[in-house]
Structure formats: structure tokens, C-alpha cells
Amino acid sequence: MLLLDVIQAGGGFILIEDTVQCSGRGLLRCFINAALKRGEDVHVLGFESPETEVCAGLDSSCVQRLHFHKGFPDPLGWTRRSSFTVERFASQHITQLIKDTQHAKAAVLVADSLSMVLRHHDPVVFCQTLQELRQGGVIKTIIGLLHSDLHQQGIVGIVCHLASTVISVAPADNERHSVAKTTRRTKSGKVMQEEEYFSVSEDATLSVQAKPRQPGHAQKERDVSEADPTSNLTFNLRLSEEERKAKQKVALPFVFSQEKKSALLKPTPGSGRIVYEPDANDDFDEEDPDDDLDV
């Protein structure tokens, strides 16, 4: 189960893509819960959800390691009710924020809405900030939620390129589950991809099962591979047995038989001789022009 492996291992930049049709917020809480159970400090930049919603259902023995930086309900700082605003999404501010509350281990940074940040920052500056945070040494894992239907696909593609793992969520036919398409790129450059069904319980526990293949999918592939491409033609490309034998008996004009080869190569009397008959208009001198050269 690739999704479970990513949640249990952590590390790198993990991007969760969702849309209005399927929210990835429950999956984000599963990542927070797993990091807390590993004993890691988790810093949440809450731009779209209050702290009570983020902490709901989490293990009470682990919640003390969760540091919520309030951006909701004033992410732009208009009413000065937030301790962290979109404007402060910069490597120096976030690094200092983590250092003030950090223990020995590197922390986990969670942004409950990268879309909120991306809509108010230049995309180039946004990407540079993510790179600086990844390379700064203070943060072990960055986990961000991106509403992909709010942005141009080119910008979404750039952010996905920065991520080591991209999880795209979509609705499933079964209302109890959702579909997660996980793409993970290792340090060696190897890419792994898998689609799975998942569900999230109230205590932020994740249940994952492999996505079954569609009925008849394998049979359909086999039927296509065995189809006869000449079956629906208006003319016949195949030869009967009689036509095949008649074709083999036809002598091709550019193929010589053994008898014809022997006849062409057999020497005849007078072969190799050159006979010249002078023409009436030829200027022929009977005297030897080179008689002065005789010794």
C-alpha cells in the first residue's frame, strides 16, 4: 500500500491535491496524526480551519506536540486577529517560528491551504520559499493541501514538480471511500504510482484498500490483442492453398534458373576476339608512324 507507506515514513515535500468534488482535509489530518505518533513536533499553519477542527479526534497524549499557528479566520491580517498571516509565509519567518518551539528533532510543517498562500504570492517566490524550507535543515517534512481547481494547470504542475510525493484525491463510486492516486519519486529518480481506495475515521485513522480492476478489463485487452485486422476488409488479402501453389510455380523475371545461368556463362568459339572493319571515311595510314622508334 503506497499511501500507507508515505504516511508512515514521512519526509520530503508531500502535496495533497483536492478539488471541490473531493476534499483532502481528512487525509491531511491522518498525516498529522501519524507524525505525532512518531514523536515528531508538528507545526500547522491554519489558514482555512480552526484549531478545534484540526485537533478533533487526535490522540490526547500527543496533542501537546502540535503547534497551531492561527491564520483562521483572518489569513490576510485585516482585523489583526491572526498570529500568522499569508504575508509571513517566508522561509525566515517560518524557520524562526519553529526554532522558538523546537525540540531536538526536526519538525513537520503542515499548511492546510497552500492555495491561500499561492493566490497572494508570486509563484516564483512561493516555489523559492518551499525550496529554502526543504534545504534549511530545521524541517524534516512539509505537507501541504492544494486546491488544484483554483489555479491554472501550469502553476499546479510546477508545484507538483517540487514535491517528492503527490497525492491526488477524487470521489469514488462508493460514498464511503475516496480514490487516492499516489505518485512518489525517490532520491534515485525512481517513480512509483498507485491508485487506492481510502477512508478516514473520526479519530484520524486511515483505512486503505487496493483499487480493484474493472470487470472484464483484462479480457478486453486480450480480445483487442487477438483481433484480426483483415477481418472487415472489402477485399481478400489471404491466398487459398491452390493460389499459393500456383504462385510458387511462377518464374520471376529477375531470377535465373540453373540452366539459364549455365547457358550464359558457357564459353563459345570466338569469344573474346575483337574484329574491326575499317570504314570508308577512316583516315588510315599504312606507314608505321613509329618506325623511327625501332631499335
Side-chain angles (χ1 to χ4, degrees):
M1 299 293 182
L2 185 56
L3 182 56
L4 283 177
D5 291 343
V6 173
I7 287 183
Q8 293 172 359
F13 173 27
I14 301 171
L15 181 68
I16 302 175
E17 276 190 285
D18 70 354
T19 62
V20 69
Q21 297 178 341
C22 185
S23 174
R25 200 163 298 281
L27 189 59
L28 187 71
R29 290 178 62 247
C30 291
F31 274 95
I32 295 174
N33 195 35
L36 291 173
K37 289 184 176 181
R38 290 195 299 265
E40 299 172 339
D41 282 356
V42 178
H43 291 258
V44 179
L45 306 180
F47 296 118
E48 292 184 349
S49 302
E51 185 176 1
T52 54
E53 182 179 324
V54 173
C55 297
L58 299 180
D59 192 341
S60 57
S61 62
C62 302
V63 174
Q64 70 271 12
R65 288 194 297 273
L66 189 147
H67 308 276
F68 189 85
H69 305 285
K70 183 180 178 181
F72 177 87
D74 184 27
L76 300 181
W78 289 347
T79 61
R80 300 183 183 278
R81 297 168 56 190
S82 298
S83 61
F84 192 89
T85 62
V86 170
E87 183 183 358
R88 298 187 64 195
F89 190 87
S91 59
Q92 63 270 24
H93 292 310
I94 296 175
T95 300
Q96 188 60 47
L97 194 71
I98 293 175
K99 285 183 177 180
D100 292 341
T101 54
Q102 178 187 355
H103 293 83
K105 295 182 179 179
V108 175
L109 177 67
V110 177
D112 76 339
S113 178
L114 288 177
S115 292
M116 179 65 71
V117 180
L118 193 53
R119 292 182 66 184
H120 295 88
H121 279 263
D122 182 274
V124 176
V125 176
F126 173 81
C127 293
Q128 288 176 345
T129 300
L130 288 176
Q131 286 291 78
E132 291 171 359
L133 291 172
R134 292 185 62 185
Q135 299 171 359
V138 176
I139 298 173
K140 172 187 176 183
T141 309
I142 301 176
I143 307 170
L145 181 63
L146 182 71
H147 310 313
S148 59
D149 50 353
L150 296 182
H151 310 282
Q152 296 178 356
Q153 290 304 306
I155 295 178
V156 174
I158 292 173
V159 180
C160 290
H161 182 73
L162 293 177
S164 54
T165 301
V166 178
I167 304 171
S168 302
V169 298
D173 297 335
N174 186 346
E175 295 182 356
R176 296 178 55 189
H177 295 86
S178 300
V179 178
K181 181 180 179 180
T182 306
T183 304
R184 185 179 188 182
R185 185 175 63 250
T186 63
K187 292 182 179 180
S188 62
K190 180 181 179 181
V191 177
M192 296 176 289
Q193 191 174 83
E194 191 171 353
E195 286 192 20
E196 300 159 297
Y197 285 125
F198 75 93
S199 61
V200 180
S201 62
E202 294 182 358
D203 61 350
T205 301
L206 182 68
S207 299
V208 180
Q209 63 183 23
K211 184 179 178 182
R213 292 190 176 184
Q214 297 179 358
H217 181 69
Q219 180 65 34
K220 182 179 180 181
E221 288 184 349
R222 184 165 58 252
D223 292 344
V224 170
S225 64
E226 294 178 358
D228 185 358
T230 66
S231 59
N232 297 322
L233 296 177
T234 57
F235 51 89
N236 186 18
L237 290 178
R238 298 184 181 277
L239 297 176
S240 65
E241 185 64 21
E242 293 181 357
E243 290 172 334
R244 186 181 63 81
K245 291 180 179 179
K247 178 183 177 182
Q248 293 176 347
K249 294 180 180 179
V250 175
L252 298 178
F254 51 82
V255 178
F256 291 164
S257 64
Q258 189 64 33
E259 293 79 6
K260 192 171 184 179
K261 288 181 181 179
S262 300
L264 292 174
L265 297 175
K266 184 177 180 180
T268 57
S271 61
R273 294 178 57 194
I274 300 176
V275 178
Y276 176 73
E277 296 181 358
D279 189 81
N281 296 323
D282 285 347
D283 184 11
F284 182 75
D285 188 357
E286 295 182 355
E287 296 183 359
D288 186 0
D290 298 324
D291 56 358
D292 59 333
L293 300 178
D294 291 342
V295 179

